[in-house]
Amino acid sequence: MDVITRDVNQFSSLTTTPCVLALGFFDGVHRGHQQVIATARRRAQALHLPLAVMTFDVHASQVIRTPRSDQFRYLTTVTQKAALMARLGVARLYVIHFTRAVAAMSAQAFVDQVIAPTLAQVVVAGFDYTFGVGGQATTATLMTLSRGRFEVITVQPVTVGAWKISSTRIRDLIGAGEITTAETLLGHPLTIAVTGHGRELVPELAKQQLPPPGRYRVTAGRHRAFTLTVTDANELVTGQAYTGPLTLGGWARLAGVSRASALG
Ligand SMILES: Cc1cc2nc3c(=O)[nH]c(=O)nc-3n(C[C@H](O)[C@H](O)[C@H](O)COP(=O)(O)O)c2cc1C
Ligand SMILES: Nc1ncnc2c1ncn2[C@@H]1O[C@H](COP(=O)(O)OP(=O)(O)OP(=O)(O)O)[C@@H](O)[C@H]1O
């Protein structure tokens, strides 16, 4: 898979072959996202075109300040997103640098200056995708804005019970310690990218969604299982010192340990 990182003003210089393009932020690459990408993949296969996805490096809420911006937490780093996308058959991942200038673009400008230069023949997005300044445009309006340059496919909601699967809901579940349910909605195990600095493991993302304070068994790589503590200050502390990058999976809460003794 090719990862193409771009500032929005570099886009007009893109020369590339046509593609089928899926649009969204895709934090967590959950089962709803997987449906969007699978829909695009089927169309790409039928048309013998490469499957491409366009995402942003930074979430919109971190650029456009709202009362909820401070509470926002990420599920996946760009690297994790890219690895999950590669497994779904994505050939080309566009990572657009999301800035105030991008947020201020009209929907038509975004279509003309960012989507069209990818030479997308088909654009696929979910039923609730919005874009353009103030989130002005939807998947339905995308068809008009395409001005005949591409076809638009809208993916219907993937739900569990009455709920649409969403990154927001998965963040809330992880934050509430409902890791198994979160993983069901994700469609893959929860993994958190960290770097060991002695006994502290520092998440790669400053704003990483973590499980609540407590003691957990985790795995790093295929075999190494160990315990760690998520402290009340949201720090990850292990018994053994380690230096370097780790991907923590296999999250299981150790039952019957109170917060106070978990820190001891
Ligand atoms: C060109 C462009 C401009 C955008 N401008 C805004 C904006 O002004 N305000 C906003 O809340 N979101 C803006 N967005 C973000 C989307 O509308 C959408 O709300 C955002 O991706 C939310 O992601 P979420 O569903 O993961 O919360 C913009 C997106 C694009 C592509
Ligand atoms: N459950 C779902 N069913 C179908 N499409 C979905 C679903 N969730 C997201 N999508 C689509 O996937 C793309 C990426 O969505 P986005 O990154 O906004 O995820 P989200 O889970 O809706 O996030 P948030 O909870 O922050 O709103 C968009 O095109 C969106 O419409």
Side-chain angles (χ1 to χ4, degrees), residues 173-197:
L173 285 165
I174 295 168
E178 306 274 346
I179 294 170
T180 309
T181 311
E183 288 180 328
T184 303
L185 305 197
L186 278 169
H188 51 79
L190 169 68
T191 59
I192 298 181
V194 300
T195 303
H197 295 277

Side-chain angles (χ1 to χ4, degrees), residues 107-240:
Q108 186 72 65
F110 188 71
V111 168
D112 295 345
Q113 294 168 35
V114 186
I115 298 179
T118 68
L119 302 184
Q121 305 295 290
V122 182
V123 172
V124 182
F127 68 104
D128 63 349
Y129 178 71
T130 58
F131 67 106
V133 63
Q136 64 180 187
T138 63
T139 319
T141 36
L142 191 53
M143 226 165 319
T144 315
L145 301 175
S146 85
R147 295 183 177 149
R149 284 166 291 187
F150 49 81
E151 177 196 334
V152 178
I153 299 177
T154 307
V155 176
Q156 294 311 305
V158 177
T159 56
V160 166
W163 294 74
K164 175 206 143 176
I165 295 177
S166 75
S167 305
T168 306
R169 176 134 184 264
I170 294 167
R171 292 178 195 116
D172 291 347
L173 285 165
I174 295 168
E178 306 274 346
I179 294 170
T180 309
T181 311
E183 288 180 328
T184 303
L185 305 197
L186 278 169
H188 51 79
L190 169 68
T191 59
I192 298 181
V194 300
T195 303
H197 295 277
R199 287 185 54 203
E200 194 184 348
L201 304 177
V202 180
E204 272 180 39
L205 287 164
K207 292 190 133 194
Q208 170 75 53
Q209 178 67 58
L210 295 175
R215 258 171 89 72
Y216 296 85
R217 187 185 61 76
V218 298
T219 56
R222 220 174 288 165
H223 302 297
R224 279 155 40 88
F226 57 93
T227 59
L228 63 73
T229 301
V230 178
T231 71
D232 288 334
N234 279 315
E235 287 170 340
L236 307 180
V237 180
T238 61
Q240 268 184 303

Side-chain angles (χ1 to χ4, degrees), residues 59-117:
H59 192 263
S61 70
Q62 303 306 291
V63 174
I64 309 145
R65 303 292 302 172
T66 72
R68 288 158 72 194
S69 293
D70 288 343
Q71 271 74 55
F72 177 82
R73 294 291 178 273
Y74 287 99
L75 293 169
T76 41
T77 64
V78 172
T79 306
Q80 287 176 307
K81 240 192 238 182
L84 290 162
M85 300 253 180
R87 289 205 326 230
L88 297 172
V90 175
R92 203 187 286 170
L93 178 64
Y94 292 105
V95 182
I96 310 295
H97 183 37
F98 196 81
T99 59
R100 295 178 80 85
V102 178
M105 284 176 91
S106 71
Q108 186 72 65
F110 188 71
V111 168
D112 295 345
Q113 294 168 35
V114 186
I115 298 179

